[in-house]
Amino acid sequence: MIEEIRIRDLGVISESTLPLGPGLSVVSGETGAGKTMVVTAVGLLLGNRADAGAVRNGAKSASAEATLTLPKGHAALARALEAGADIDEFDGGAELILARTVSADGRSRAHVGGRSAPIGVLTELGETLVAVHGQSDQIRLKNPAAQREALDKFAAEAQKQFPAAMEKYRAVFERWRAARAELELLRTSSRERLREAESLTAALAEIDAVDPREAEDEQLKAEAVKLGNVEELRRASLGAHEALIAEDYGDGPDAVTLVDTAKRLLETVADSDEELAETAKRISEVGFLLADIARDLAGYATSLDSEGPGRLAEVEDRRGELGVLVRKYAPSIDEVLVWADAARTRLDDLTDDSGRIEKLDAEVAAAVVELEALAADVTRLRRTAADKLSKQVSAELKALAMPDAKLVIEITPAERGIHGADDITFLLQPHAGSSPRPLGKGASGGELSRVMLALEVVLAAVDPVPTFIFDEVDSGVGGKAAVEIGRRLAMLARHVQVLVVTHLPQVAAFADQHILVTKSSVSKTSGGGITTSNVRLLNDEERVRELARMLAGQEDSATAQAHAKELLADARRATP
């Protein structure tokens, strides 16, 4: 639950601390005092969009901070740790601090457990920590999508097989949608696919006619360089050969002869020294190696004579053919071959359209049959859940001074979608014998408030969050209905923390703690003034005065105070 909320320079609130506790807390105050800033602060902590206009005039920034205590193992703690938060643990639970700062230029920063975090993390945490309800939520309640979501949330908890049924339906729906989209693409783009197939066929025919080999372009390039320098290569190889073996017995000694002479000299004394004998063997090996190299050079020079200008012309012609492919399809022959393999695969796909269309037709038809069965199963489970939810909410409405009212949940066939094949409509039958009408058309603001509260009370039993915040959801309600709303809020507060911003004394009387927002004007020397608000927890005497103000606008009136005390006494007796 939320232990404390600290607000600085938000709206008309300069700096205030809102102490909260378990049970039901109410926030009241004069119109314009800044009561809704409390809800705005919580909204910022839940990741709502930051509004620079909410920053107090003259301030550089506004901030909201909350301290929460949560039981060990709560999902919010795990997510906060993932975000790098520092969490203080104690016996049986942990303390988590959330903070949000909004600058006057609209920039916003979030902190989770003392560490900077993306705003989205606050949103994720908020989904498991707080449920906020206000007039905008009554508008949301009129939305068919929100009504379906509320029913499905109830069904998921009330019927354990519902989540599995929805998951299976959605998996088949996605498969059906993907197959149908591919089928539609094949049928509408057949002309474009035919042109692509013709282009790929021509390209592959050109590549196949040249029949390139891996790395052939690099090999031919090296051969062309060699053939272009035949004379230089011949002179170098014959000169090296001559230096090793002087076959024309010239005046200069050749390398083989010199090595042989060295070997013979050492062999004459080899018997006298083992070291020289070993050296003679090594020189003999050098002689053999030089003779081998000389033979290789002779063979190399002879091969050059067979690779004349004719071979060079062949190489250049072949390089020209490969160059055409490289310019058209890829930077190298190896990449041309890779492109050709991919093109063949694509061509097979394009030329198999008729077979693919037939296969997809069968797949779509089979998926439709399966979807119909799965959708019917989802509808059946929804109807069961709708009947149960309707009865429970109707019972709550009876307790909220709407004794003859009934929530009717209508499920009608709809076009198949990701959420099933149902249209879900919440209707309110306010009186016996009257026709049920959609909430958006037939329900007043006060009735919507009570329907929403009844729904929340029922849903809280199956999917609770630690804290509920209601922002003047009792608008348009008075008299006995207001008393009953206070009673139901108090009952809800027995299981979760509830914070209510209200203007009704009948509701405020049920509070476990009453928080007052007051405003005042601070004069300035220029003659103007600044409106500020303060937030404080009321004691018993102050609470009587505030209820008297809410009742009659006269907190000092003895009659109003007597009535306030009576309200408090009645609320204590009525709270179960």
Side-chain angles (χ1 to χ4, degrees), residues 193-511:
R193 292 170 66 86
L194 178 60
R195 282 198 293 267
E196 184 182 356
E198 291 174 348
S199 175
L200 290 177
T201 299
L204 290 172
E206 182 178 16
I207 294 173
D208 291 341
V210 176
D211 191 22
R213 301 184 302 277
E214 288 187 11
E216 185 180 2
D217 50 348
E218 294 298 325
Q219 295 169 3
L220 290 176
K221 179 181 178 181
E223 187 176 358
V225 172
K226 175 183 175 181
L227 292 173
N229 295 276
V230 167
E231 291 305 320
E232 290 83 354
L233 294 173
R234 182 182 290 108
R235 282 196 299 271
S237 59
L238 289 176
H241 180 270
E242 185 72 18
L244 294 175
I245 299 179
E247 295 179 351
D248 58 357
Y249 301 100
D251 295 335
D254 58 66
V256 172
T257 300
L258 292 173
V259 170
D260 187 61
T261 299
K263 182 192 72 166
R264 291 178 186 280
L265 286 171
L266 293 177
E267 286 178 342
T268 60
V269 293
D271 293 338
S272 302
D273 189 339
E274 290 185 1
E275 184 177 351
L276 286 180
E278 185 63 31
T279 302
K281 290 180 181 179
R282 292 166 62 193
I283 292 176
S284 178
E285 292 173 359
V286 171
F288 292 140
L289 180 60
L290 290 174
D292 286 343
I293 294 174
R295 282 193 297 272
D296 289 343
L297 288 171
Y300 177 82
T302 302
S303 70
L304 291 176
D305 293 333
S306 65
E307 298 178 350
R311 175 55 185 165
L312 180 58
E314 292 176 4
V315 169
E316 293 299 343
D317 287 345
R318 180 63 176 171
R319 291 184 70 196
E321 293 176 345
L322 297 178
V324 171
L325 301 183
V326 168
R327 286 192 297 274
K328 283 188 175 182
Y329 304 111
S332 69
I333 285 300
D334 285 356
E335 290 172 284
V336 168
L337 292 172
V338 171
W339 183 89
D341 288 341
R344 292 184 208 283
T345 301
R346 175 61 175 164
L347 184 60
D348 289 342
D349 181 53
L350 293 172
T351 53
D352 190 36
D353 277 2
S354 59
R356 182 61 180 158
I357 287 175
E358 184 177 345
K359 182 180 178 181
L360 286 172
D361 267 329
E363 187 176 338
V364 168
V368 167
V369 173
E370 190 174 1
L371 277 177
E372 288 177 350
L374 292 173
D377 194 33
V378 169
T379 300
R380 177 181 58 79
L381 293 171
R382 273 181 175 151
R383 290 189 185 281
T384 301
D387 182 63
K388 187 175 182 180
L389 179 60
S390 175
K391 289 178 179 177
Q392 292 188 21
V393 172
S394 298
E396 288 294 327
L397 291 175
K398 184 174 295 186
L400 291 171
M402 296 176 68
D404 298 323
K406 181 178 180 182
L407 178 69
V408 178
I409 302 177
E410 188 177 80
I411 300 177
T412 56
E415 183 178 351
R416 190 166 46 243
I418 189 66
H419 300 295
D422 303 318
D423 273 337
I424 297 167
T425 307
F426 284 13
L427 305 106
L428 180 66
Q429 183 180 15
H431 309 289
S434 61
S435 299
R437 299 192 64 188
L439 293 182
K441 297 180 179 179
S444 66
E447 288 172 335
L448 271 178
S449 297
R450 283 176 278 180
V451 171
M452 192 192 70
L453 178 57
L455 272 170
E456 202 58 76
V457 169
V458 173
L459 293 177
V462 296
D463 188 25
V465 293
T467 301
F468 287 83
I469 297 178
F470 295 90
D471 181 16
E472 296 191 359
V473 294
D474 49 18
S475 176
V477 178
K480 185 177 180 181
V483 174
E484 294 302 329
I485 285 181
R487 191 198 315 273
R488 302 313 285 179
L489 287 169
M491 290 180 62
L492 180 62
R494 294 178 62 190
H495 307 287
V496 294
Q497 182 184 43
V498 179
L499 175 64
V500 181
V501 178
T502 184
H503 65 283
L504 293 180
Q506 297 96 324
V507 172
F510 283 89

Side-chain angles (χ1 to χ4, degrees), residues 46 76 79 82 119-129:
L46 299 181
R79 181 64 185 94
E82 289 177 7
I119 303 300
V121 175
L122 291 180
T123 304
E124 294 177 37
L125 293 173
E127 291 175 353
T128 63
L129 294 174

